[in-house]
Amino acid sequence: DAGVIQSPRHEVTEMGQEVTLRCKPISGHNSLFWYRQTMMRGLELLIYFNNNVPIDDSGMPEDRFSAKMPNASFSTLKIQPSEPRDSAVYFCASSLLIAGGRSPLHFGNGTRLTVT
Amino acid sequence: DQQVKQNSPSLSVQEGRISILNCDYTNSMFDYFLWYKKYPAEGPTFLISISSIKDKNEDGRFTVFLNKSAKHLSLHIVPSQPGDSAVYFCAAKLVDTGKLIFGQGTTLQVKP
């Protein structure tokens, strides 16, 4: 099992540029989560999907952020235009949601985004 | 509004001693609590969990205690080992939506 795969590992971009973060969840998992880690807030949930459908995007900071999950094995988080305050580590996680509950989240290694 | 709080940003403990990491929450709608461990440049990994109907769960050197009346949980590691040095995140699951809310994390350093 390769685990949750995120790319790129590091992204440095200039303010105003578009940034796309990618995630491949664990095969068989039907829930996918995007989190952002900052010193002040810890791990913040941005959005999550069940069976490729966005369930809750209330954590998305503003309209500059968007996420898609076109199929069960791929998701993107896009920031357009990016701003310096978006600099953080972005984590993708997946889990298996069944009738009895949800398995623990499995996280990828994150994408460290720096916006200058 | 931080629903899950870890008020200690860091903790330093001597090898062999007990490490106690604390977590407070404000929402009564959490039905499950979890601890995750994170090493640098890696994603968090699941460590141990506890249901809201229990007050203790033990797994080897790791024990989680839940005090519902105080809305407080803690993670005990005994004996602590240098390999336990990491960031520990407390998390709580909302019973209605299943959302997992994380705290800010506590950096544990276990000195040899």
Side-chain angles (χ1 to χ4, degrees):
Chain A
D1 186 350
V4 176
I5 300 173
Q6 290 186 247
S7 63
R9 288 300 308 271
H10 302 274
E11 177 78 39
V12 180
T13 190
E14 290 184 349
M15 182 174 66
Q17 296 297 308
E18 177 180 296
V19 174
T20 300
L21 312 181
R22 297 173 176 79
C23 175
K24 177 177 167 50
I26 291 175
S27 176
H29 280 188
N30 55 8
S31 292
L32 184 139
F33 304 76
W34 282 101
Y35 281 88
R36 177 170 68 177
Q37 183 189 5
T38 61
M39 290 293 291
M40 290 295 294
R41 295 175 174 267
L43 283 165
E44 293 178 275
L45 177 63
L46 301 178
I47 185 172
Y48 77 97
F49 298 81
N50 284 343
N51 297 311
N52 314 338
V53 177
I55 302 300
D56 186 341
D57 65 354
S58 60
M60 297 286 260
E62 44 198 274
D63 292 344
R64 298 184 297 107
F65 286 69
S66 63
K68 294 182 179 179
M69 192 164 186
N71 56 63
S73 58
F74 184 66
S75 176
T76 59
L77 177 67
K78 187 176 292 187
I79 309 173
Q80 165 65 18
S82 58
E83 297 182 2
R85 61 191 167 124
D86 301 330
S87 298
V89 181
Y90 291 80
F91 287 101
C92 175
S94 70
S95 73
L96 180 62
L97 178 65
I98 56 177
R102 189 191 299 282
S103 66
L105 268 59
H106 294 258
F107 284 82
N109 286 333
T111 294
R112 179 174 293 278
L113 173 65
T114 303
V115 183
T116 60
Chain B
D1 178 27
Q2 196 77 21
Q3 297 184 62
V4 179
K5 298 179 183 179
Q6 294 176 256
N7 292 317
S8 298
S10 63
L11 175 68
S12 183
V13 171
Q14 206 68 33
E15 181 179 7
R17 299 290 186 98
I18 185 171
S19 295
I20 300 177
L21 298 109
N22 294 303
C23 179
D24 297 294
Y25 61 96
T26 57
N27 196 326
S28 299
M29 296 297 288
F30 293 132
D31 66 341
Y32 237 92
F33 301 90
L34 306 90
W35 285 93
Y36 279 77
K37 177 180 178 180
K38 183 186 177 305
Y39 291 119
E42 294 183 10
T45 55
F46 170 71
L47 186 58
I48 191 170
S49 65
I50 187 168
S51 166
S52 61
I53 62 173
K54 297 189 175 182
D55 54 19
K56 177 182 175 181
N57 187 28
E58 188 173 352
D59 183 2
R61 298 185 296 113
F62 302 90
T63 303
V64 56
F65 294 92
L66 175 63
N67 182 335
K68 285 184 67 177
S69 60
K71 290 190 172 63
H72 176 84
L73 68 155
S74 59
L75 174 68
H76 293 213
I77 307 173
V78 57
S80 301
Q81 299 173 354
D84 296 329
S85 298
V87 179
Y88 289 79
F89 288 98
C90 168
K93 185 174 78 66
L94 285 167
V95 64
D96 50 353
T97 63
K99 284 172 63 171
L100 208 54
I101 310 296
F102 282 83
Q104 306 95 313
T106 297
T107 300
L108 172 66
Q109 182 184 25
V110 181
K111 297 180 179 179

